[in-house]
Amino acid sequence: MKEQIDSVLQKARQMLGAAQTMQDLEQVRVQLLGKKGELTGILKQLGKLSAEERPKMGQLANEVRGQIEAHIQEKTRELQEAALACRLQEETLDITMPAVRQPAGSLHPLSIVLNDMIDIFKSMGFDVVDGPEVETDYYNFEALNVPADHPARDMQDTFYLGDNLLLRTQTSAAQIRTMESRRPPIRMICPGRVYRADEVDATHSPVFHQVEGLVVDKGITMCDLKGTLEQFAREIYGKDAKIKFRPSFFPFTEPSVEVDVSCPKCGGAGHTAAGDCSVCKGSGWIEILGAGMVHPRVLSGCGIDPQVYSGFAFGIGLDRLTITKYKISDIRLIFENDLRFLEQF
Ligand code: DAH
């Protein structure tokens, strides 16, 4: 019987040595130690032994069972460790591998310049208002002192949507809406798209952008207009920027001016070492906006007494400003959204 028990231990060693999986281990346990297992089978023969032999063999069989169980446990741990090592190996992340770059968007040049403008005017106490792009004839023309059949309507080719509806040709319409809904003191800017039936070329687009400005209070003069615009030009173009007022005409302002800024490229000289300046075309100045003192008729039309209040207004061409600031040669680049262009900002 001793040999039989020893041979079970041998067998256990062999089978465990070859075991690859947990099922293999279970198989060993059932086959050798289970209720119908080989060791159990041998123990059933104990009764046939002499009283002297019986306890010895019983003890031996128990020792062997203990050894086999210990082997199985050890092998179980080994297999578990191997499985874990294998999983860790499979799931290893190479954190030194270069990442796939997600393309990040950037602000459109118009947005960059507009954000700057908003900061500048906010720091001077202006707030930002919005107005509709589809306007009525009244807000876009009539209330701005441009009655029907007035020749000034020819200054702006209009997209009409019906008898009274149109795509606004100027953000000036927002002046009227603001004065109707608020009492002075008023200090606002209104940025937005405007539309005119223009042919597309390097300097024209049927859609472009303006930033309207309006200040109404007691005792507002042309000096306030000049100081405000001077400060604005210095912040946008640098502290050496100069501005120049030229007399002009707008139906909604009296007097009216057009405002030029000294050319940011040639500093106002009109030429560079290479010849005539390409940005200002040799004049040294660039027109950036129209402005003036709000016409008394416009004030009174909005219920503001021109004997008590006065105001100034301006309309800045945002696209123009952006083009000159970044020395862009063609306005179409602003609207085409070619990534090769946009990625430069
Ligand atoms: N609306 C004018 C235009 O589109 C620009 C302008 C001129 C706006 C004078 C104003 C202003 O507010 O006072 O040409």
Side-chain angles (χ1 to χ4, degrees), residues 9-28:
L9 183 57
Q10 287 305 327
K11 198 163 181 185
R13 289 199 172 121
Q14 254 177 28
M15 286 177 80
L16 287 173
Q20 304 275 7
T21 65
M22 299 304 241
Q23 282 99 310
D24 293 347
L25 297 184
E26 180 62 8
Q27 163 85 15
V28 175

Side-chain angles (χ1 to χ4, degrees), residues 177-213:
R177 291 185 177 274
T178 303
M179 286 190 281
E180 277 183 357
S181 62
R182 285 161 56 172
R183 294 295 91 191
I186 293 169
R187 256 188 240 141
M188 70 81 168
I189 56 170
C190 172
R193 282 195 193 100
V194 297
Y195 302 82
R196 290 185 200 176
D198 276 334
E199 293 290 334
V200 179
D201 64 24
T203 54
H204 291 89
S205 159
V207 189
F208 56 104
H209 302 80
Q210 289 184 332
V211 178
E212 194 74 14

Side-chain angles (χ1 to χ4, degrees), residues 21-259:
T21 65
M22 299 304 241
Q23 282 99 310
D24 293 347
L25 297 184
E26 180 62 8
Q27 163 85 15
V28 175
R29 201 188 60 75
V30 171
Q31 189 180 328
L32 303 183
L33 309 179
K35 264 193 198 139
K36 293 178 185 161
E38 290 179 24
L39 192 60
T40 322
I42 296 169
L43 284 176
K44 280 182 187 150
Q45 315 291 319
L46 276 184
K48 292 181 191 159
L49 295 181
S50 66
E52 201 183 315
E53 284 278 290
R54 210 178 295 149
K56 280 190 196 157
M57 286 305 123
Q59 197 187 353
L60 181 63
N62 274 337
E63 273 172 25
V64 166
R65 169 183 288 274
Q67 280 182 31
I68 296 177
E69 277 170 351
H71 280 321
I72 292 180
Q73 236 175 36
E74 194 183 324
K75 189 74 187 182
T76 305
R77 227 187 31 248
E78 265 173 36
L79 284 184
Q80 279 171 343
E81 273 168 18
L84 179 64
C86 175
R87 220 176 111 193
L88 287 177
Q89 177 71 31
E90 270 171 14
E91 294 179 4
T92 301
L93 287 180
D94 181 358
I95 55 169
T96 64
M97 227 163 91
V100 181
R101 264 190 187 279
Q102 293 298 330
S106 57
L107 287 178
H108 191 282
L110 286 180
S111 302
I112 298 174
V113 175
L114 178 57
N115 288 345
D116 285 351
M117 290 175 73
I118 289 174
D119 283 348
I120 295 167
F121 282 110
K122 270 194 173 166
S123 77
M124 292 195 265
F126 286 68
D127 48 27
V128 181
V129 308
D130 202 8
E133 289 175 26
V134 173
E135 262 299 3
T136 62
D137 186 273
Y138 178 77
Y139 287 104
N140 195 78
F141 289 126
E142 191 95 22
L144 285 161
N145 199 28
V146 190
D149 303 325
H150 192 286
R153 290 206 180 199
D154 296 343
M155 289 164 74
Q156 303 173 358
D157 263 329
T158 310
F159 286 114
Y160 282 94
L161 302 173
D163 273 352
N164 261 319
L165 278 186
L166 46 82
L167 291 176
R168 70 177 171 195
T169 60
Q170 47 189 356
T171 43
S172 305
Q175 287 184 31
I176 307 301
R177 291 185 177 274
T178 303
M179 286 190 281
E180 277 183 357
S181 62
R182 285 161 56 172
R183 294 295 91 191
I186 293 169
R187 256 188 240 141
M188 70 81 168
I189 56 170
C190 172
R193 282 195 193 100
V194 297
Y195 302 82
R196 290 185 200 176
D198 276 334
E199 293 290 334
V200 179
D201 64 24
T203 54
H204 291 89
S205 159
V207 189
F208 56 104
H209 302 80
Q210 289 184 332
V211 178
E212 194 74 14
L214 173 70
V215 171
V216 183
D217 202 352
K218 289 179 180 156
I220 297 292
T221 70
M222 198 94 174
C223 286
D224 298 308
L225 171 62
K226 194 153 187 234
T228 303
L229 294 180
E230 237 156 25
Q231 176 66 13
F232 164 73
R234 282 198 208 109
E235 299 229 23
I236 284 280
Y237 290 106
K239 64 178 178 14
D240 294 328
K242 287 188 263 309
I243 58 171
K244 176 169 87 171
F245 277 28
R246 274 182 292 110
S248 183
F249 170 79
F250 298 102
F252 32 89
T253 44
E254 181 56 39
S256 303
V257 291
E258 277 173 310
V259 179

